């Protein structure tokens, strides 16, 4: 007889062994670096002013040293991530990030002031690696070296691009009302963009010629590395460049007047504009009125009629020859001479007379 207590002891030992096996990976998993977490939080924070630039043919996100110091001082709650190292200063934290290769110190490539500027640009577009990898606040730039985690909405948006591409390709099979909605929406958006660009160009040109001021409405509307908030910034920043010379302003004023007069002189007349408008409207109507049923009906009409039976080949040949003769006979009356027409009528009358006899 087996003792029931022995089976229970075996079950307990097996459960203990399973628990020990599940606990070992947890103990072996190394804790995440607190400085890596701090770097990710600081990079994702909106208050740390950063820009994009080209560093050795690669695009990197970078910030200034003094901006990092002010950011850490204004957000002391981020230092709690460092746990035992929360008492470190901003300079010490940056040096540790440099040693862990989470940051790299950079320097501007162009170190000379441009002729039309009074000082160097605040955020240069091209950088190079600095020889001394030590933190500094004075005209020092630091680029992130790790890959930024993509948020969930960007991942979902990447799956929407193929769907959008397929929807664009299927535009010809949409209903007529949907086609009109898409057409007018795209045309209105394109017209709005062109009007904004034309307005900001006219305002800039008028103020530059009359007052010598550089004033751009929506100054970041054509910027490549601007954020969404900066992209729709309406009021421009203060003009830091020197005032242009009056000779240059006079030259561009005369050139503008000459260009406008030439455009007015060579502008198309009403008839030409009407022809162009009719041509464009016909193209748009062809696109909007196209449907799969019309395309299929046109393909069926273009297919040649082929007889399956062989004995009727001669009949089809005769019909095709008669059709050729008939098609060649369907010419305009202007192209056939009057003498030939009279001869044909006389021959037909003679043939009818003989048949009656």
């Amino acid at each position: 007889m087996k003792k029931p207590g022995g089976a229970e002891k075996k079950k307990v030992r097996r459960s203990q062994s399973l628990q020990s096996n599940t606990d070992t990976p947890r103990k072996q998993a190394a804790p995440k670096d607190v400085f890596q977490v701090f770097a990710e939080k600081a990079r994702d924070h909106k208050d740390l002013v950063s820009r994009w630039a080209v560093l050795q043919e690669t695009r990197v996100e970078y910030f200034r040293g003094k901006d990092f110091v002010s950011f850490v001082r204004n957000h002391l709650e981020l230092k709690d991530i460092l746990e035992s190292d929360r008492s470190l200063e901003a300079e010490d934290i940056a040096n540790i990030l440099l040693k862990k290769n989470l940051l790299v110190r950079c320097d501007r490539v162009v170190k000379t002031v441009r002729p039309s500027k009074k000082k160097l640009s605040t955020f240069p577009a091209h950088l190079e690696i600095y020889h001394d990898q030590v933190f500094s606040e004075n005209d020092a730039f630091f680029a992130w070296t790790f890959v930024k985690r993509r948020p969930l909405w960007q991942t979902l948006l990447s799956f929407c691009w193929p769907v959008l591409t397929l929807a664009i390709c299927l535009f010809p099979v949409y209903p007529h009302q949907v086609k009109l909605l898409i057409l007018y929406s795209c045309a209105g958006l394109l017209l709005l963009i062109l009007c904004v660009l034309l307005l900001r160009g006219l305002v800039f040109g008028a103020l530059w010629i009359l007052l010598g001021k550089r004033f751009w409405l929506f100054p970041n509307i054509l910027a490549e590395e601007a954020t969404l908030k900066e992209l729709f910034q309406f009021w421009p920043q203060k003009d830091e460049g020197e005032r242009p010379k009056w000779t240059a302003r006079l030259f561009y004023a005369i050139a503008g007047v000459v260009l406008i007069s030439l455009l007015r002189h060579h502008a198309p007349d009403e008839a030409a504009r009407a022809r162009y408008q009719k041509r464009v409207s016909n193209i748009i109507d062809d696109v909007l009125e196209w449907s799969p049923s019309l395309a299929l009906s046109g393909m069926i009409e273009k297919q040649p009629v082929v007889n399956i039976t062989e004995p009727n080949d001669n009949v089809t040949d005769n019909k095709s020859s008669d059709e050729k003769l008939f098609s060649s006979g369907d010419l305009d009356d202007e192209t056939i001479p009057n003498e030939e027409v009279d001869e044909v009528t006389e021959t037909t009358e003679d043939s009818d007379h003989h048949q009656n006899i």
Side-chain angles (χ1 to χ4, degrees):
M1 298 268 318
K2 292 184 179 180
K3 297 180 180 180
E8 293 179 356
K9 289 181 180 179
K10 289 182 179 179
K11 290 181 180 179
V12 172
R13 289 176 183 175
R14 288 177 182 176
S15 62
Q16 289 178 355
S17 62
L18 290 174
Q19 289 179 359
S20 62
N21 291 331
T22 55
D23 292 338
T24 49
R26 296 177 183 177
K27 294 179 181 178
Q28 292 177 359
K32 194 171 184 180
D33 189 6
V34 292
F35 287 95
Q36 174 75 29
V37 178
F38 177 83
E40 292 176 356
K41 294 290 185 181
R43 185 175 183 179
D44 294 335
H45 207 285
K46 62 180 181 179
D47 290 341
L48 181 59
V49 182
S50 61
R51 294 291 187 275
W52 289 86
V54 178
L55 175 65
Q56 294 181 353
E57 298 182 357
T58 55
R59 284 170 52 84
V60 295
E61 187 179 4
Y62 72 99
F63 57 87
R64 298 183 301 178
K66 58 182 181 181
D67 293 335
F68 181 78
V69 173
S70 61
F71 168 75
V72 174
R73 289 175 182 174
N74 295 330
H75 298 83
L76 298 176
E77 67 276 4
L78 291 178
K79 296 176 70 174
D80 296 337
I81 301 174
L82 302 178
E83 297 176 354
S84 60
D85 297 328
R86 65 171 59 92
S87 60
L88 294 176
E89 296 294 332
E91 293 82 357
D92 299 331
I93 296 173
N95 286 322
I96 294 174
L97 294 177
L98 288 170
K99 290 179 181 178
K100 291 180 175 293
N101 293 326
L102 297 173
L103 285 178
V104 60
R105 183 176 176 180
C106 307
D107 193 11
R108 61 177 77 245
V109 176
V110 180
K111 301 179 177 63
T112 57
V113 182
R114 294 181 180 179
S116 60
K117 300 291 182 180
K118 294 182 179 180
K119 60 180 182 180
L120 294 172
S121 59
T122 306
F123 291 96
H126 298 274
L127 298 173
E128 60 183 2
I129 298 178
Y130 194 68
H131 58 86
D132 190 10
Q133 293 295 315
V134 181
F135 183 79
S136 177
E137 297 184 36
N138 301 323
D139 198 23
F141 306 97
F142 300 89
W144 301 106
T145 57
F146 60 91
V147 179
K148 186 177 180 180
R149 290 184 177 181
R150 299 178 63 182
L152 180 60
W153 67 270
Q154 289 186 359
T155 305
L156 296 177
L157 187 62
S158 62
F159 287 103
C160 294
W161 286 118
V163 178
L164 181 61
T165 304
L166 182 62
I168 294 172
C169 295
L170 294 177
F171 176 79
V173 299
Y174 287 168
H176 186 71
Q177 299 297 331
V178 179
K179 288 181 180 179
L180 288 177
L181 178 62
I182 295 174
L183 176 64
Y184 289 134
S185 301
C186 295
L189 182 61
L190 181 61
L191 183 62
L192 177 62
I193 294 173
L194 293 178
C195 289
V196 170
L197 295 178
L198 181 61
L199 177 62
R200 69 193 297 267
L202 291 176
V203 171
F204 175 81
L207 294 179
W208 189 82
I209 291 173
L210 297 176
L211 303 178
K213 299 290 185 180
R214 297 177 178 87
F215 186 85
W216 284 107
L217 296 174
F218 297 102
N220 301 322
I221 197 69
L222 298 177
E224 296 181 357
E225 289 88 14
T227 60
L228 188 63
K229 182 179 179 181
E230 295 173 349
L231 190 66
F232 294 99
Q233 180 184 353
F234 178 76
W235 203 256
Q237 297 178 355
K238 187 178 179 181
D239 186 15
E240 299 178 354
E242 61 182 5
R243 191 169 181 174
K245 297 180 180 180
W246 67 271
T247 53
R249 292 158 56 190
L250 180 61
F251 171 76
Y252 282 105
I254 296 172
V257 172
V258 172
L259 179 62
I260 293 172
S261 61
L262 288 176
L263 291 176
R264 285 178 58 86
H265 183 266
H266 295 283
D269 54 357
E270 291 293 335
R273 285 196 292 267
R275 289 194 300 270
Y276 180 75
Q277 183 180 0
K278 185 178 180 181
R279 190 182 306 168
V280 173
S281 63
N282 291 335
I283 295 173
I284 295 174
D285 291 339
D286 293 339
V287 174
L288 293 177
E289 294 175 359
W290 187 90
S291 64
S293 59
L294 293 176
L296 291 175
S297 63
M299 292 174 62
I300 293 172
E301 290 177 358
K302 290 180 180 179
Q303 288 181 356
V305 179
V306 179
N307 292 327
I308 301 174
T309 58
E310 293 180 356
N312 295 329
D313 291 340
N314 296 326
V315 178
T316 56
D317 294 337
N318 294 329
K319 288 183 179 179
S320 61
S321 61
D322 294 339
E323 289 176 358
K324 289 181 180 179
L325 292 174
F326 181 76
S327 61
S328 61
D330 287 341
L331 298 174
D332 296 336
D333 294 338
E334 296 178 355
T335 57
I336 301 175
N338 295 327
E339 297 177 356
E340 294 182 0
V341 174
D342 296 336
E343 291 177 359
V344 171
T345 53
E346 290 178 358
T347 53
T348 53
E349 290 176 356
D350 294 337
S351 62
D352 294 337
H353 180 69
H354 287 297
Q355 287 178 0
N356 294 326
I357 294 172

